[in-house]
């Protein structure tokens, strides 16, 4: 029998400095994703929902605070407000992009407003630059729900590097995996506070350096569990390698559809603002019932019947 490592023998398990890190990858997923979107920090979590929960916690949202949300969205970008015991305040959408209307945002800001939370619906970025200006003018935090918009751009900048905090989802999304999500930010404070919202003490001890926040590390932060599945991160990491290639192909297909559907009166293809890169998580058209004289639901049923 070989000598025990405790008594000076060789270790049974030896890890060298070049061995793979989290998820079996040569670099951590969070490092790869932060580099991809050009953000300083990326925090992997279990879903897009928990990414939003953590983002609002990082922004200091609590009981009685108001969060401005968009009225046309998936439920996660509203339920995260309730999760943090705050009040969702709904604003209207732009009738071309279906994203948050900045003019209505200005009308809805009150002394209790803490966060503006736009959604990049279908993969078209919300007017994040304008909304960020509104947020900063009113001492608010802009949290962008980019669950459907990984790889999208605004004025050549990647979604994930523009808003104060951006959240992403992987399940069935442009960057696809079996589950999981990620939060990005350029603020160390937001990063550490987001981690406290749902990471294990072993992870928090590596992330949280601010003295006033370190006291929460040993108890597991705020008590929620946002930790991601390692296999899901491995799959997301692998799909990140072909992200741009797949996105370019999807955009090419969408452009073909737009060119052909534009020839049909009564069908309006998706509008794309000139300064954005729309990644087409979903390709959505407007259907004019009056033009065709057929109810929309009947039209959809007919399309499904055709396969």
């Amino acid at each position: 029998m070989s000598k025990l490592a405790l008594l000076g023998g060789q270790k049974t398990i030896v890890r060298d400095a070049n061995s793979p890190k989290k998820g079996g990858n040569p670099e951590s997923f969070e490092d790869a994703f932060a580099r991809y979107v050009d953000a300083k920090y990326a925090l992997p979590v279990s879903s897009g929902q928990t990414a939003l929960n953590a983002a609002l916690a990082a922004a200091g949202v609590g009981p009685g605070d108001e969060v401005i949300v968009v009225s046309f969205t998936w439920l996660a970008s509203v339920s995260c407000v309730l999760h943090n015991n705050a009040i969702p305040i709904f604003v209207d959408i732009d009738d071309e992009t279906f994203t948050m209307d900045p003019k209505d945002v200005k009308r809805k800001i009150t002394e209790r407003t803490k966060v503006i939370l736009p959604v990049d619906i279908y993969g078209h970025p919300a007017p994040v630059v304008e909304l960020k200006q509104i947020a900063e003018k009113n001492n608010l935090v802009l949290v962008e729900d980019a669950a459907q918009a990984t790889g999208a751009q605004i004025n050549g900048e990647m979604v994930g590097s523009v808003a104060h905090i951006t959240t992403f989802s992987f399940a069935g999304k442009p960057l696809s995996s079996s589950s999981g999500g990620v939060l990005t930010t350029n603020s160390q404070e937001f990063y550490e506070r987001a981690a406290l919202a749902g990471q294990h003490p072993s992870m928090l001890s590596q992330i949280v350096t601010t003295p006033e926040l370190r006291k929460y590390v040993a108890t597991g932060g705020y008590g929620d569990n946002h930790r991601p599945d390692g296999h899901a991160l491995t799959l997301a990491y692998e799909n990140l390698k072909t992200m741009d290639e797949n996105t370019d192909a999807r955009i090419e297909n969408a452009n073909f559809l737009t060119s052909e559907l534009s020839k049909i009166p009564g069908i309006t293809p998706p509008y794309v603002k000139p300064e954005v890169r729309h990644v087409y998580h979903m390709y959505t058209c407007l259907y004019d019932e009056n033009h065709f004289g057929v109810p929309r639901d009947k039209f959809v049923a007919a399309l499904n019947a055709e396969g």
Side-chain angles (χ1 to χ4, degrees):
M1 182 176 177
S2 60
K3 196 174 184 181
L4 294 173
L6 181 66
L7 303 177
Q10 288 284 94
K11 291 183 179 180
T12 303
I13 299 174
V14 179
R15 303 189 194 279
D16 62 49
N18 296 316
S19 63
K21 294 174 76 175
K22 302 164 192 169
N25 304 315
E27 64 177 335
S28 68
F29 170 76
E30 50 264 48
D31 289 342
F33 193 84
R35 178 165 45 80
Y36 177 73
V37 301
D38 194 27
K40 288 184 179 179
Y41 305 99
L43 179 70
V45 290
S46 55
S47 68
Q49 170 76 68
T50 55
L52 286 166
N53 292 349
L56 294 190
V61 172
D65 290 333
E66 294 178 351
V67 176
I68 292 179
V69 297
V70 68
S71 56
F72 183 62
T73 183
W74 174 247
L75 61 87
S77 55
V78 178
S79 62
C80 62
V81 180
L82 302 177
H83 180 84
N84 284 275
N85 299 304
I87 304 166
I89 302 297
F90 291 92
V91 299
D92 208 345
I93 59 170
D94 175 87
D95 59 7
E96 289 185 309
T97 65
F98 314 129
T99 59
M100 183 175 277
D101 179 6
K103 295 188 295 296
D104 200 26
V105 170
K106 292 178 182 178
R107 289 191 286 266
K108 298 296 175 61
I109 293 174
T110 73
E111 61 183 15
R112 296 170 67 180
T113 306
K114 201 70 170 280
V115 164
I116 301 172
L117 203 167
V119 178
D120 301 333
I121 199 74
Y122 302 140
H124 188 295
V128 175
V129 174
E130 184 177 356
L131 290 171
K132 188 176 181 181
Q133 292 172 348
I134 295 171
E136 292 180 344
K137 183 178 179 180
N138 292 276
N139 196 31
L140 307 175
V141 179
L142 181 67
V143 174
E144 179 183 8
D145 181 349
Q148 301 179 5
T150 310
Q153 297 178 4
I154 305 169
N155 295 322
E157 294 186 84
M158 294 294 291
V159 164
S161 64
V162 183
H164 298 123
I165 307 173
T166 309
T167 65
F168 299 86
S169 173
F170 303 150
K173 300 302 194 305
L175 177 58
S176 182
S177 187
S178 55
S179 65
V182 65
L183 173 154
T184 62
T185 182
N186 289 318
S187 163
Q188 181 179 349
E189 179 184 358
F190 287 153
Y191 173 60
E192 294 187 6
R193 289 186 179 276
L196 283 172
Q199 300 296 318
H200 192 273
S202 60
M203 179 65 73
L204 292 175
S205 63
Q206 302 174 49
I207 292 176
V208 181
T209 59
T210 306
E212 67 172 286
L213 300 179
R214 291 279 302 177
K215 61 186 178 183
Y216 299 110
V217 168
T219 57
Y222 308 149
D224 280 345
N225 183 353
H226 296 169
R227 299 190 297 280
D229 174 72
H231 296 292
L233 288 191
T234 298
L235 181 56
Y237 179 91
E238 291 303 314
N239 287 335
L240 189 61
K241 296 176 182 178
T242 57
M243 182 72 202
D244 287 333
E245 178 184 346
N246 293 337
T247 300
D248 289 341
R250 195 163 57 252
I251 292 172
E252 184 178 354
N253 290 338
N255 289 340
F256 171 77
L257 279 173
T258 294
S259 67
E260 295 301 307
L261 290 171
S262 296
K263 302 172 185 177
I264 304 175
I267 299 291
T268 305
Y271 173 78
V272 183
K273 285 191 172 181
E275 70 271 18
V276 310
R277 184 195 194 202
H278 189 341
V279 296
Y280 295 101
H281 169 58
M282 293 183 182
Y283 185 90
T284 56
C285 297
L286 292 176
Y287 171 78
D288 187 348
E289 289 185 347
N290 293 326
H291 176 82
F292 291 102
V294 177
R296 184 189 63 173
D297 290 348
K298 192 71 173 178
F299 176 74
V300 172
L303 285 179
N304 288 333
E306 296 290 346

